[in-house]
Amino acid sequence: MSGVAVVNIPGSKSLTARALFIAACASGDSRLRRPLISDDSEAFTEALASLGHTVRTEGEDWIVTGSSGARPVRKAEVYCRDAGTAARFLPVLAATRNGTYRFDASEQMRRRPMQPLIDALRELGADVVCEGTEGTEGHLPITINACGIKGGHIVLDAGISSQFLTALLMAGPLFTDGLEVEVSKLVSVPYVEMTLAIMREFGAQAFREGNTFHVAPGHYTSRDYSIEPDASTSSYFFAAAAVTGNTVTVNGLGSRSLQGDVRFARILGDMGADVEFTDEHIRVTGTGTLRGLEVNMRDISDTMPTLAAIAPFADAPVRIVDVYNTRVKESDRLAASADNLTRLGIDVRTGEDWIEIHPGTPGPAVIACHGDHRIAMSFSITSLLLSEALQLDDPACVRKTFPHFYDVLTDLVTRWNHKDMATKSFA
């Protein structure tokens, strides 16, 4: 008989970052319930502190000091660690102020592109200086000599990352004339819809009309805001149920979720899993069948490695398309997934924006994590079906979004009564 279990998933990284940003801009103090506690979210709170905001802990909640209670900071060194949200969101917030603000981050984050955001800020009148050596224009470190933003109409390429658009939209109410952004390219649309929804919950006027996004000038109002469990993180546990023939339920996620990555569970349903969505939960049960398919994951690309890691167990090839933007994440996730599948002895092919994985029996291997939490967590699920655990070369990189991932995964398979899985070590 298959095991049945409920898994408690940490708060959404995306919602936590957006709520922190908006709460910092609000007129009073806001309470964020069940935020994500991880390296990324802590980096965000530290960066906010550098800009004069306080985030204090009350039990499982965070209390964020809004703009009315923040101390003015006219000069700051802001270090964002590996956090893409902090590195891409907060320079726009700084540009709305008066002062000099220098942003830097880890070597990994320095490699990730910033040019579309820098171009947009300059078009809006901000003085942005790229401080790296020759050839590093469009990357951190940058210095912003800020004197406020008037706003108006701009054109933005958000085809590499929707975070550039999100940053501008969230700061839009602080611009004197508001903001109108026409996007020439756009990826990860659900993340932008999430941004608009949370902005409106804090009192902003923001909407989309075709390829143009409108934000009225105004202000945010502080509030009590609950963070949903992270849908991207949930994908690992949904995948684990699908490949092992067990059942997992994640409460707090459901058909009304703001997070587009809940669609990953529906993909598992297309592959043969039994999937149940309600307003309050998502439940996935493995049926012993995992069918191959072709799927466009452009808008839920953070879950591409999860699907790639379990694809060898399907009965036909799994082809994932339109995911070029995964090449400019914490690692080149297309290349990293293909490399690790090849190490496992799986027939895999890739192109500029696609990967095709053929059925096979993975063998023992050392997984190259590339310092990427999603690669480490995804291939930990592959390991569940192997007689010998895979070795991860950097298991600790999961701290970025889920420090207790291995403990939670081990507890889950124990409750499924799979003692052979539970005794595996991923280090």
Side-chain angles (χ1 to χ4, degrees), residues 248-301:
V248 70
T249 301
V250 175
N251 293 320
L253 280 182
S255 52
R256 295 182 295 185
S257 173
L258 295 177
Q259 300 171 77
D261 281 4
V262 296
R263 184 181 149 230
F264 180 82
R266 298 195 186 279
I267 292 173
L268 293 176
D270 293 339
M271 297 178 74
D274 182 7
V275 178
E276 175 184 289
F277 270 77
T278 72
D279 289 347
E280 305 300 331
H281 72 253
I282 300 173
R283 177 174 295 125
V284 174
T285 301
T287 61
T289 298
L290 203 63
R291 295 189 292 267
L293 83 173
E294 177 171 324
V295 59
N296 187 313
M297 299 186 78
R298 177 184 176 88
D299 289 334
I300 59 167
S301 59

Side-chain angles (χ1 to χ4, degrees), residues 160-183:
I160 292 178
S161 174
S162 65
Q163 289 179 348
F164 306 137
L165 175 59
T166 282
L168 293 163
L169 292 176
M170 290 194 299
L174 311 181
F175 299 168
T176 305
D177 295 338
L179 180 66
E180 185 178 276
V181 185
E182 180 183 345
V183 291

Side-chain angles (χ1 to χ4, degrees), residues 7-10 36-39 233-234 236-237 373 377 396-406 408-409:
V7 175
N8 293 318
I9 301 295
L36 172 66
I37 310 297
S38 72
D39 277 7
T233 299
S234 299
Y236 311 117
F237 300 94
H373 57 131
M377 289 189 277
C397 67
V398 301
R399 291 179 305 204
K400 180 177 175 67
T401 52
F402 197 174
H404 304 296
F405 170 74
Y406 303 111
V408 174
L409 181 59

Side-chain angles (χ1 to χ4, degrees), residues 51-380:
L51 295 172
H53 296 273
T54 300
V55 181
R56 70 179 191 274
T57 300
E58 282 191 6
E60 293 186 345
D61 303 341
W62 280 349
I63 310 299
V64 184
T65 302
S67 56
S68 60
R71 57 183 174 83
V73 174
R74 293 188 175 272
K75 186 173 183 179
E77 294 276 339
V78 185
Y79 185 69
C80 301
R81 299 198 213 172
D82 288 333
T85 50
R88 288 167 171 171
F89 292 178
L90 295 179
V92 188
L93 176 60
T96 67
R97 302 184 172 182
N98 289 284
T100 301
Y101 308 96
R102 183 176 184 274
F103 287 83
D104 201 359
S106 67
E107 286 300 320
Q108 185 188 60
M109 188 61 224
R110 280 185 171 193
R111 292 192 295 268
R112 297 178 67 182
M114 293 279 289
Q115 192 68 60
L117 183 65
I118 292 168
D119 290 344
L121 284 172
R122 287 172 174 167
E123 189 177 346
L124 288 165
D127 178 10
V128 184
V129 179
C130 293
E131 297 183 12
T133 57
E134 185 177 352
T136 61
E137 170 77 16
H139 296 265
L140 293 174
I142 61 173
T143 293
I144 298 176
N145 300 303
C147 58
I149 297 286
K150 184 178 180 182
H153 177 89
I154 63 168
V155 177
L156 176 73
D157 181 348
I160 292 178
S161 174
S162 65
Q163 289 179 348
F164 306 137
L165 175 59
T166 282
L168 293 163
L169 292 176
M170 290 194 299
L174 311 181
F175 299 168
T176 305
D177 295 338
L179 180 66
E180 185 178 276
V181 185
E182 180 183 345
V183 291
S184 57
K185 296 179 183 176
L186 179 59
V187 70
S188 302
V189 173
Y191 284 91
V192 182
E193 297 295 341
M194 173 200 302
T195 300
L196 294 175
I198 190 172
M199 287 173 65
R200 290 191 288 262
E201 290 201 45
F202 278 80
Q205 298 179 51
F207 65 95
R208 177 181 183 178
E209 192 173 47
N211 291 327
T212 303
F213 294 81
H214 304 266
V215 183
H219 64 276
Y220 290 111
T221 302
S222 59
R223 60 158 300 173
D224 188 313
Y225 187 77
S226 295
I227 308 292
E228 295 179 357
D230 193 288
S232 306
T233 299
S234 299
S235 74
Y236 311 117
F237 300 94
F238 293 147
V243 297
T244 63
N246 292 287
T247 298
V248 70
T249 301
V250 175
N251 293 320
L253 280 182
S255 52
R256 295 182 295 185
S257 173
L258 295 177
Q259 300 171 77
D261 281 4
V262 296
R263 184 181 149 230
F264 180 82
R266 298 195 186 279
I267 292 173
L268 293 176
D270 293 339
M271 297 178 74
D274 182 7
V275 178
E276 175 184 289
F277 270 77
T278 72
D279 289 347
E280 305 300 331
H281 72 253
I282 300 173
R283 177 174 295 125
V284 174
T285 301
T287 61
T289 298
L290 203 63
R291 295 189 292 267
L293 83 173
E294 177 171 324
V295 59
N296 187 313
M297 299 186 78
R298 177 184 176 88
D299 289 334
I300 59 167
S301 59
D302 276 351
T303 62
M304 180 280 292
T306 319
L307 184 56
I310 65 169
F313 306 120
D315 62 7
V318 172
R319 184 179 175 89
I320 305 168
V321 302
D322 205 4
V323 285
Y324 174 79
N325 64 317
T326 63
R327 291 193 179 277
V328 289
K329 299 284 189 176
E330 285 82 346
S331 67
D332 179 339
R333 288 178 179 160
L334 264 179
S337 296
D339 170 58
N340 284 312
L341 287 164
T342 300
R343 290 173 182 231
L344 293 168
I346 301 301
D347 180 8
V348 57
R349 298 151 202 185
T350 60
E352 183 181 35
D353 66 349
W354 59 269
I355 183 169
E356 183 175 285
I357 304 107
H358 289 249
T361 302
V366 176
I367 297 299
C369 297
H370 300 275
D372 192 329
H373 57 131
R374 301 217 180 276
I375 297 299
M377 289 189 277
S378 295
F379 282 92
S380 295

